[in-house]
C-alpha cells in the first residue's frame, strides 16, 4: 500500500491543547485515600472511593437530595466521565438533578486522572466498573434499585450504552455525543480519521495511563498496518454498542441519543443507524456543532436544550412524570441554517425525498495534493459553524481541476432543505492498487464561494491498476438549508488533513459515468 501521511499537524496539537484546557478549567478532584473513606465537601457533595472491577479504585463524587433523611429512596443517575475529563465534570448537572430528587454518582473512568487501572476504551472492565458503581450506590446511598439511570457525554455515553446491555438494572440512558460503532466512527470508509485518533490518543497519554493493548492498537492504526486490520476491527467491535444491540434491546432500557451534525470524533451516521435498530423507548436528537459542543454549556450549569431534555427523559422513565416527552416526535433535528426543531416519526422519514445530481463526463485528478477543499479542523471548524454559521469554505471556481474533480447542479429556484445522508455512487479507475478519495458537498453562492454541507473519505486496497470499480459512499448526515439562487457542488480530491491518505506518489484517479451504471450524488431533502 502507499505510504500514509501520519505527521501530526499543528492543527491537531492545537485541538489536543484546547481539549485539555477545557477539562482542567473545571478543576481537579480533591485527593482521596484508597481506603474507601469519604471526603465530605461543602454543598452536600461527597468525594469517595469506589472499588471497581478487579479491585481498581475509582474516584467518584456523590450528590443526594437535600431532603434525604433515610426514610425514602430516590432514583439514581450514574455518570461515567468523558475521555480525559476530571471527576468534577458533571457537578453542575449533578446538583440540578439532586435538587429535583435524584441521587447522582459520578466517577472518573478507569485509567484517567486519579482513578486506578489503565485506559481500556470502554472494554469489559469499564462495563463491569459501571455495575460496581451501581452496586455501591445501592449500598451506600438512598438509591432505589428499581429506578437506575445512566448518562454521559462522549466516553461516558459509550460506557452507559454498553452497561445497559450488560446490567438489566439500568432502566434509562441518555447518551450524548457518543458512539454506537467505534470502527465506523474513526475508520469510516476504511480511512483512518487522523486528527480524531491523534486527539484521543494525545489527551489519553496526557491525562491517563493507556493500557498496553491501547498503545499497540493506536500504533498499528496510525501506521496503517493492514496486517492488523481485522484484529483492530474486532477490538473496536467489542467496544461498540451496535455489536451489543441484542443485549441492549433485551434489557429494555429507555434510550435517548444526542449528537451534533459536525461531530468530528463520532459522526452522526452511526448513531442514526443504531437508533433505528433499537426496539425499546427511544429518542434521537441531532443539532449543529462538533464533538460535545452541544452539551458543553450545560456542563457549566447554563441553560442547554440537550440537558433539559435529558432531565425530562429521566423524569418520565424513572419517576413516571407525565411531561409529554413520550408524545413528541421521537426524532428531533435542528438545522445548521435555521432555528427551532423539526420532529419526525423515525430516521427513515428524514430526507424522504431524494434528488440526484448526475456526475456526467469524465474527470481525472492527480493524487497527493490538497486541492483546497477540506473538512476543516477537528473540534474547531464545526464549532464555528454552530455559533457563527461559518463552516469550512472553498472557492469552487478556483479549485485546481488537476487535483479536484468538480460537478455542479443547476441554480435552484427555491430553498433546498438537505436532511439526512447524501450518497455518492461513481466509477473509479486508479493507476495504483491502493488509494484514498474524499468527497465534499458544497453550497455554492453567486460568487462561487462554497460552504461545506458534508464530506466523507473512502480508501481502497487491492484493486487492479487500470481496471474500473464502483464506489458507494455515504457522506456524513446533516441538516442544512441551501438558499434559493445557490447551487450544490460535489468535489472529490485525494488529500484532507482530517484523514490519513493512501495514495502512492504520482497516482492518478479517473472518475467516469458508464451509460450502464451512471454516476450521481443523491441528496436527501425534507418534504415540504
Amino acid at each position: 500500500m502507499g505510504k500514509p501521511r501520519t505527521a501530526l499537524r499543528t492543527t491537531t496539537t492545537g485541538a489536543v491543547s484546547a481539549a485539555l484546557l477545557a477539562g482542567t478549567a473545571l478543576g481537579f478532584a480533591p485527593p482521596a485515600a484508597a481506603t474507601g473513606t469519604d471526603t465530605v465537601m461543602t454543598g452536600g457533595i461527597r468525594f469517595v472511593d469506589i472499588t471497581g472491577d478487579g479491585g481498581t479504585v475509582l474516584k467518584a463524587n456523590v450528590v443526594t437530595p437535600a431532603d434525604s433523611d433515610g426514610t425514602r429512596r430516590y432514583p439514581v443517575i450514574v455518570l461515567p466521565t468523558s475521555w480525559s475529563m476530571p471527576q468534577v465534570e458533571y457537578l453542575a448537572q449533578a446538583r440540578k438533578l439532586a435538587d429535583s430528587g435524584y441521587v447522582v454518582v459520578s466517577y472518573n473512568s478507569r485509567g484517567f486522572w486519579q482513578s486506578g487501572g489503565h485506559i481500556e476504551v470502554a472494554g469489559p472492565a469499564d462495563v463491569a466498573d459501571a455495575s460496581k458503581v451501581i452496586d455501591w450506590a445501592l449500598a451506600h446511598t438512598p438509591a432505589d434499585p428499581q429506578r437506575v439511570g445512566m448518562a454521559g457525554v462522549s466516553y461516558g455515553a459509550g460506557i452507559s450504552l454498553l452497561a445497559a446491555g450488560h446490567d438489566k438494572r439500568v432502566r434509562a440512558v441518555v447518551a450524548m455525543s457518543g458512539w454506537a460503532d467505534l470502527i465506523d466512527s474513526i475508520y469510516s470508509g476504511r480511512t483512518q480519521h487522523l486528527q480524531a485518533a491523534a486527539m484521543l490518543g494525545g489527551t489519553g497519554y496526557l491525562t491517563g495511563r493507556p493500557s498496553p493493548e491501547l498503545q499497540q492498537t493506536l500504533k498499528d492504526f496510525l501506521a496503517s498496518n493492514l496486517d492488523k486490520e481485522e484484529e483492530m476491527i474486532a477490538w473496536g467491535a467489542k467496544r461498540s454498542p451496535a455489536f451489543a444491540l441484542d443485549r441492549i434491546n433485551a434489557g429494555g432500557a429507555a434510550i435517548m441519543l444526542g449528537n451534533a451534525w459536525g461531530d468530528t470524533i463520532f459522526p452522526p451516521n452511526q448513531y442514526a443507524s443504531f437508533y433505528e435498530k433499537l426496539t425499546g423507548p427511544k429518542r434521537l436528537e441531532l443539532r449543529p456543532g462538533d464533538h460535545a459542543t452541544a452539551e458543553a454549556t450545560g456542563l457549566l450549569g447554563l441553560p442547554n436544550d440537550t440537558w433539559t431534555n435529558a432531565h425530562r427523559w429521566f423524569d418520565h422513565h424513572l419517576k413516571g412524570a407525565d411531561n409529554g416527552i413520550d408524545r413528541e416526535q421521537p426524532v428531533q433535528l435542528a438545522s445548521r441554517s435555521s432555528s427551532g426543531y423539526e420532529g419526525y416519526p423515525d430516521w427513515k422519514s428524514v430526507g424522504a425525498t431524494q434528488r440526484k445530481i448526475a456526475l456526467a463526463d469524465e474527470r481525472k485528478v492527480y493524487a497527493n495534493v490538497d486541492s483546497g477543499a477540506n473538512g476543516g479542523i477537528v473540534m474547531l471548524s464545526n464549532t464555528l459553524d454552530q455559533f457563527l454559521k461559518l463552516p469550512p469554505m472553498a472557492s469552487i471556481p478556483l479549485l485546481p481541476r488537476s487535483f479536484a474533480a468538480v460537478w455542479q447542479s443547476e441554480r435552484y429556484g427555491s430553498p433546498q432543505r438537505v436532511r439526512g445522508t447524501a450518497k455518492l455512487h461513481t466509477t473509479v479507475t486508479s493507476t495504483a492498487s491502493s488509494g484514498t478519495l474524499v468527497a465534499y458537498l458544497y453550497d455554492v453562492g453567486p460568487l462561487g464561494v462554497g460552504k461545506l454541507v458534508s464530506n466523507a473519505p473512502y480508501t481502497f486496497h487491492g484493486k487492479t491498476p487500470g481496471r474500473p470499480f464502483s464506489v458507494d459512499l455515504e457522506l456524513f448526515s446533516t441538516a442544512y438549508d441551501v438558499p434559493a439562487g445557490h447551487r450544490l457542488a460535489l468535489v472529490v480530491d485525494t488529500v484532507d488533513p482530517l484523514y490519513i491518505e493512501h495514495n502512492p506518489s504520482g497516482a492518478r484517479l479517473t472518475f467516469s459515468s458508464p451509460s450502464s451504471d451512471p454516476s450521481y450524488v443523491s441528496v436527501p431533502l425534507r418534504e415540504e
Side-chain angles (χ1 to χ4, degrees):
M1 66 179 179
K3 296 180 180 179
R5 285 149 175 77
T6 57
L8 303 185
R9 297 167 173 81
T10 55
T11 54
T12 306
T13 304
V16 170
S17 301
L20 284 175
L21 287 172
T24 55
L26 292 174
F28 299 93
T35 61
T37 57
D38 296 358
T39 301
V40 181
M41 307 298 289
T42 59
I45 303 167
R46 286 189 296 147
F47 288 89
V48 303
D49 290 346
I50 297 176
T51 302
D53 185 56
T56 297
V57 174
L58 305 173
K59 298 296 182 176
N61 57 70
V62 184
V63 189
T64 54
D67 62 355
S68 175
D69 58 8
T71 63
R72 55 176 292 198
R73 291 192 174 272
Y74 302 85
V76 58
I77 308 295
V78 172
L79 300 166
T81 53
S82 303
W83 185 272
S84 290
M85 294 294 281
Q87 62 151 302
V88 295
E89 175 185 10
Y90 300 114
L91 276 185
Q93 287 300 322
R95 299 190 74 160
K96 287 187 176 185
L97 285 164
D99 288 345
S100 61
Y102 291 90
V103 171
V104 185
V105 182
S106 175
Y107 69 96
N108 235 136
S109 303
R110 67 168 50 224
F112 286 106
W113 297 99
Q114 295 163 305
S115 283
H118 291 87
I119 302 171
E120 304 290 349
V121 194
D126 291 293
V127 178
D129 283 345
S131 291
K132 291 288 188 180
V133 173
I134 294 172
D135 292 342
W136 185 93
L138 297 179
H140 296 87
T141 75
D144 186 342
Q146 304 302 316
R147 295 185 290 170
V148 177
M150 289 193 68
V153 176
S154 185
Y155 195 47
I159 291 174
S160 295
L161 287 172
L162 288 164
H166 288 80
D167 193 325
K168 291 187 177 181
R169 293 175 297 181
V170 179
R171 305 312 309 148
V173 173
V174 176
M176 296 166 275
S177 290
W179 75 93
D181 188 332
L182 190 58
I183 297 300
D184 197 36
S185 294
I186 62 173
Y187 194 51
S188 70
R190 209 179 177 187
T191 307
Q192 297 99 321
H193 293 211
L194 171 62
Q195 290 187 16
M199 179 178 175
L200 293 172
T203 54
Y205 275 100
L206 288 170
T207 63
R209 300 165 300 283
S211 67
E213 184 182 28
L214 172 56
Q215 293 180 50
Q216 187 61 50
T217 300
L218 273 172
K219 180 180 177 181
D220 291 335
F221 183 81
L222 293 173
S224 306
N225 187 349
L226 286 181
D227 291 338
K228 294 293 186 72
E229 185 179 37
E230 289 188 8
E231 185 177 319
M232 288 187 287
I233 289 173
W235 177 88
K238 186 187 296 184
R239 291 157 169 81
S240 296
F243 290 85
L245 183 67
D246 289 344
R247 292 197 299 272
I248 292 171
N249 282 335
I255 294 176
M256 172 179 152
L257 305 173
N259 206 353
W261 294 118
D263 194 322
T264 45
I265 309 293
F266 304 128
N269 301 47
Q270 43 91 36
Y271 241 22
S273 175
F274 177 69
Y275 168 83
E276 281 291 88
K277 298 170 186 174
L278 291 171
T279 57
K282 58 185 180 179
R283 182 179 176 94
L284 174 66
E285 299 183 353
L286 295 170
R287 301 175 174 84
D290 206 314
H291 184 64
T293 63
E295 303 87 20
T297 56
L299 293 175
L300 300 174
L302 301 174
N304 180 278
D305 289 351
T306 308
W307 282 102
T308 295
N309 286 338
H311 287 233
R312 294 175 64 220
W313 189 254
F314 285 133
D315 286 350
H316 179 72
H317 291 285
L318 296 182
K319 290 183 175 181
D322 185 14
N323 55 20
I325 197 167
D326 58 319
R327 295 188 293 276
E328 296 171 359
Q329 295 276 37
V331 176
Q332 293 286 322
L333 310 182
S335 169
R336 293 162 49 199
S337 311
S338 56
S339 59
Y341 290 85
E342 305 164 358
Y344 299 84
D346 47 39
W347 177 250
K348 65 177 178 289
S349 299
V350 177
T353 300
Q354 299 285 323
R355 170 171 285 185
K356 288 185 177 181
I357 300 172
L359 308 181
D361 303 324
E362 187 176 89
R363 303 280 195 275
K364 294 183 179 181
V365 299
Y366 290 93
N368 311 119
V369 175
D370 189 342
S371 70
N374 66 66
I377 300 171
V378 66
M379 293 298 297
L380 176 61
S381 299
N382 292 320
T383 304
L384 292 175
D385 182 38
Q386 175 185 0
F387 293 106
L388 301 177
K389 301 290 190 288
L390 291 174
M393 299 183 191
S395 175
I396 304 304
L398 297 181
L399 291 176
R401 283 357 188 219
S402 295
F403 307 112
V406 180
W407 297 267
Q408 296 192 76
S409 73
E410 75 282 1
R411 293 189 187 277
Y412 296 117
S414 59
Q416 304 294 295
R417 306 191 190 283
V418 180
R419 300 290 186 273
T421 310
K423 299 176 182 179
L424 168 65
H425 174 76
T426 190
T427 296
V428 178
T429 306
S430 175
T431 59
S433 60
S434 293
T436 297
L437 60 93
V438 186
Y440 311 88
L441 188 65
Y442 283 100
D443 160 25
V444 184
L447 299 179
V449 175
K451 294 183 177 181
L452 187 65
V453 176
S454 185
N455 78 101
Y458 181 93
T459 292
F460 57 88
H461 297 290
K463 299 298 183 183
T464 302
R467 178 178 295 177
F469 59 93
S470 295
V471 168
D472 287 286
L473 175 63
E474 287 192 352
L475 277 63
F476 301 135
S477 302
T478 194
Y480 182 94
D481 300 335
V482 179
H486 287 212
R487 320 171 177 263
L488 283 171
L490 182 80
V491 177
V492 182
D493 71 2
T494 63
V495 176
D496 190 307
L498 285 172
Y499 313 112
I500 290 178
E501 53 103 344
H502 298 261
N503 298 293
S505 298
R508 190 170 68 245
L509 301 181
T510 300
F511 302 92
S512 58
S513 183
S515 58
S516 59
D517 186 20
S519 296
Y520 61 86
V521 60
S522 179
V523 180
L525 300 175
R526 176 186 172 188
E527 288 185 345
E528 298 297 336

